[in-house]
Amino acid sequence: MSNIVCELKNVQFTYPKSDKGVKDINIYVNEGSIVGLLGESGCGKSTLAKCIAGLLKVDSGELNCQKLGYIFQDNYAALNPKKTVEWLFKEVIRYNDKEALPKADLIIKEMLDEVELDETVLNHRPNELSGGQRQRVGIAMALLSNPKILIADEPVSALDVTVQKQVIKLLQKLNKEKNLAILFISHDIKVVRDLCGYIYILKDGKIVEEGDTEKIFDRPEEEYTRNLLDSSFLTK
Amino acid sequence: MNKFLKQKKVGLIIVGVMILFVILGLVNPYPFDKMNNELILKGPSFAHLFGCDEFGRDLLKRTQMGMGISVLISFFSVAIGTIVGTTIGALCGYFSGILDDILMSIIDVLFAIPSILLALVFVTLFGSGTVQVIMALGIAIVPSFAKMMRAEFRKQRELEYVKMAKLIGVPTIRILFVHILPNVLETFVNCIFIAFNNCILAEAGLSFLGVGVQPPVASLGTLLSDAGGYLKSSAYLAILPGISMIILLFGIGLLSSGESFHNAYSKRFKN
């Protein structure tokens, strides 16, 4: 059995002065697996992602995750607009492994090869890059901290179809080559089906169904899951 | 011609000329404090371009010196106000909570008191003099800086690049001043120029009231104050330092308008 790299037990979070949030979340992600978190907009996917990353403090429950990298939904807002890509990369290296800073140039070069980016992006600011380049920079930043698991919060929703495919291919490659676990959060059913091996369905902040991708798509048990899949005409 | 020069050219030229005017004062042969009975209230001439004051001192030399003193006082006051105000604003805007409540309550009280009155209270408590004026004006501009910066930092802290920095493990102090500050630079720089102008005016006001720079040292305020008694007979005593001050304020005002230096310079560099 594979090692679990991230596990949530009865995790609960509610926004102050609101009843919105996530309730009784139990999920786990195995080493080297790609797990999907699927649900309609506003169901709490990003809230859960932020809880896992520690950006939101959970009210109760257990959260045990190994070192994680985070890919933001809005790659334009997630990169500091006043800094060059090189500066951003070095900032990650500085706070991940200070001793690696003298060989930062070499590490950055290797990372650029890994995410299939040209060295010319280094001197550019995020607003001077295309959407696809920015998302690759975001992925590279997440990878520079040598994570065991990547939390990908709707990483392709803001990209056009062609670039979406390239980014998904890249995630698949990283998953295979680095045995990197990925928690892929999306409302795009097709993308989740193509990429993930196991899926959690989230509704109003609660996991309503889970299972292997084949089982979820072929034999959904919950009415909500069926409706969700019907909406994209992907059920058999 | 690029946007940077188009927007700031006039302001830069004016401020540059005024700085040159002050620097030339260093080679002006007339001493700023030497009285001369024969030159009392002598109007402008080739020997004394701005004329002489009621003690026969060269007004050009005193205007050059006065402007230099006013600019230096404003520079140090703005430095104090900027450092203290930005730090308070950044901490309040980023953290919120009880720290924000306490600091902003103090700032609100200070904000309600007119800055010149605040400066007057400070000078009354600690005595008049250049250092006291610098401290008083510095404290007087802290509230406006703190409020502006708090609003900007509060807006920025919700943005995802700040969350990314937190995730990376960047220390808070670095997030505040290395990650966020460059993103609020436009407001920051404009605040500095506006505060600079306000300080020059406030310093002139304090000196006019007799609690600022003490004689025989001159500042723009003391020159205008001293000219008060001679407005009918020797109006040049007020007009020439007054015009010098207006030109300087106009130049700095132009620098604070429009696009920030940082943005404009970045675009220029990129082009």
Side-chain angles (χ1 to χ4, degrees):
Chain A
M1 193 179 158
S2 315
N3 289 330
I4 293 176
V5 287
C6 189
E7 186 173 23
L8 281 74
K9 285 182 187 169
N10 303 317
V11 164
Q12 191 141 334
F13 171 81
T14 313
Y15 284 102
K17 297 170 191 168
S18 154
D19 58 346
K20 291 221 164 200
V22 289
K23 294 159 209 136
D24 296 325
I25 301 290
N26 291 289
I27 64 174
Y28 68 93
V29 181
N30 282 329
E31 190 177 19
S33 65
I34 305 184
V35 173
L37 189 61
L38 189 62
E40 60 192 8
S41 296
C43 70
K45 302 186 297 289
S46 291
T47 301
L48 183 57
K50 281 172 186 148
C51 286
I52 297 171
L55 290 171
L56 294 173
K57 204 176 168 199
V58 296
D59 300 332
S60 61
E62 261 183 64
L63 210 155
N64 297 311
C65 284
Q66 293 183 23
K67 195 159 197 179
L68 59 86
Y70 197 102
I71 305 169
F72 282 87
Q73 184 174 355
D74 183 356
N75 53 43
Y76 192 77
L79 305 175
N80 193 326
K82 298 287 180 191
K83 305 294 182 186
T84 62
V85 172
E86 185 175 11
W87 191 93
L88 292 169
F89 283 167
K90 284 188 175 166
E91 192 75 343
V92 183
I93 296 169
R94 181 176 293 119
Y95 291 101
N96 178 56
D97 182 8
K98 217 169 191 172
E99 284 166 15
L101 208 54
K103 45 181 184 174
D105 290 337
L106 186 69
I107 295 170
I108 289 169
K109 198 177 173 303
E110 284 172 5
M111 188 50 68
L112 287 175
D113 289 342
E114 217 155 289
V115 297
E116 295 154 13
L117 272 174
D118 201 72
E119 266 183 68
T120 51
V121 299
L122 289 176
N123 296 323
H124 287 86
R125 291 185 182 169
N127 65 327
E128 295 159 4
L129 304 176
S130 69
Q133 283 176 318
R134 269 200 299 270
Q135 198 55 287
R136 284 168 196 272
V137 169
I139 293 170
M141 282 179 74
L143 292 176
L144 277 169
S145 58
N146 301 316
K148 286 279 178 195
I149 175 170
L150 264 188
I151 311 291
D153 182 8
E154 306 247 21
V156 293
S157 61
L159 305 173
D160 65 57
V161 185
T162 326
V163 185
Q164 265 188 18
K165 274 189 181 164
Q166 293 168 1
V167 172
I168 286 168
K169 254 188 174 175
L170 174 65
L171 290 174
Q172 281 171 324
K173 185 187 94 171
L174 293 169
N175 167 255
K176 268 191 193 152
E177 288 177 2
K178 296 172 95 76
N179 200 28
L180 185 68
I182 299 173
L183 178 62
F184 191 86
I185 297 163
S186 180
H187 62 263
D188 190 327
I189 296 163
K190 194 177 175 308
V191 172
V192 172
R193 188 185 66 171
D194 293 346
L195 187 67
C196 306
Y198 197 87
I199 297 172
Y200 290 94
I201 307 285
L202 196 66
K203 185 200 173 200
D204 296 333
K206 280 185 175 174
I207 303 284
V208 291
E209 189 166 357
E210 65 179 277
D212 294 334
T213 306
E214 209 178 86
K215 181 238 160 195
I216 292 283
F217 279 89
D218 294 348
R219 303 177 299 282
E221 287 169 8
E222 293 291 321
E223 181 68 25
Y224 175 76
T225 311
R226 271 195 292 275
N227 289 340
L228 193 69
L229 301 180
D230 281 346
S231 66
S232 65
F233 312 103
L234 287 173
T235 43
K236 281 188 180 172
Chain B
M1 191 180 289
N2 61 56
K3 209 172 179 181
F4 172 76
L5 286 178
K6 270 182 201 164
Q7 284 192 335
K8 308 289 182 186
K9 190 181 167 191
V10 180
L12 278 174
I13 289 174
I14 292 174
V15 172
V17 168
M18 296 320 280
I19 290 171
L20 190 67
F21 175 74
V22 172
I23 292 170
L24 285 176
L26 299 173
V27 291
N28 186 331
Y30 297 108
F32 75 94
D33 56 350
K34 193 178 179 193
M35 299 183 216
N36 189 337
N37 288 338
E38 289 170 17
L39 294 173
I40 287 173
L41 296 177
K42 277 262 186 197
S45 62
F46 280 114
H48 300 279
L49 289 174
F50 277 32
C52 296
D53 67 4
E54 71 273 28
F55 297 112
R57 297 172 296 195
D58 182 62
L59 187 60
L60 175 62
K61 173 76 177 186
R62 289 184 65 75
T63 305
Q64 287 167 321
M65 181 202 194
M67 187 173 286
I69 296 281
S70 292
V71 167
L72 276 180
I73 287 175
S74 300
F75 176 82
F76 287 114
S77 303
V78 169
I80 292 170
T82 305
I83 293 167
V84 179
T86 303
T87 306
I88 292 174
L91 291 173
C92 290
Y94 189 77
F95 288 111
S96 302
I98 193 141
L99 178 80
D100 181 35
D101 291 344
I102 294 170
L103 287 175
M104 286 325 282
S105 300
I106 298 168
I107 292 293
D108 281 338
V109 172
L110 289 175
F111 205 64
I113 305 170
S115 54
I116 192 95
L117 193 62
L118 198 67
L120 270 175
V121 170
F122 190 90
V123 169
T124 310
L125 287 174
F126 299 103
S128 51
T130 308
V131 175
Q132 284 87 339
V133 170
I134 289 172
M135 295 301 291
L137 293 178
I139 291 168
I141 59 172
V142 164
S144 49
F145 247 101
K147 281 212 166 235
M148 292 293 285
M149 286 298 116
R150 176 182 178 262
E152 289 293 328
F153 274 76
R154 176 154 289 202
K155 231 188 310 177
Q156 296 290 322
R157 74 168 183 186
E158 302 300 334
L159 299 181
E160 291 194 331
Y161 78 87
V162 177
K163 290 172 186 160
M164 173 79 100
K166 277 189 206 170
L167 276 176
I168 292 167
V170 180
T172 306
I173 197 85
R174 188 170 166 88
I175 291 181
L176 289 175
F177 296 108
V178 179
H179 287 250
I180 298 182
L181 191 60
N183 285 284
V184 300
L185 210 60
E186 202 164 327
T187 311
F188 182 73
V189 171
N190 283 343
C191 278
I192 287 177
F193 284 128
I194 292 166
F196 203 89
N197 262 3
N198 287 342
C199 273
I200 286 179
L201 285 172
E203 184 281 323
L206 285 176
S207 296
F208 193 83
L209 293 170
V211 291
V213 174
Q214 296 301 302
V217 177
S219 79
L220 291 172
T222 56
L223 291 176
L224 293 173
S225 173
D226 294 344
Y230 307 94
L231 283 180
K232 280 188 181 167
S233 56
S234 307
Y236 67 91
L237 287 177
I239 291 172
L240 294 173
I243 288 175
S244 307
M245 183 162 84
I246 289 167
I247 294 172
L248 177 66
L249 292 176
F250 181 63
I252 296 170
L254 285 178
L255 290 181
S256 69
S257 60
E259 198 175 14
S260 77
F261 276 97
H262 187 261
N263 276 356
Y265 204 84
S266 303
K267 282 179 191 168
R268 182 193 184 197
F269 183 72
K270 191 186 156 195
N271 289 339

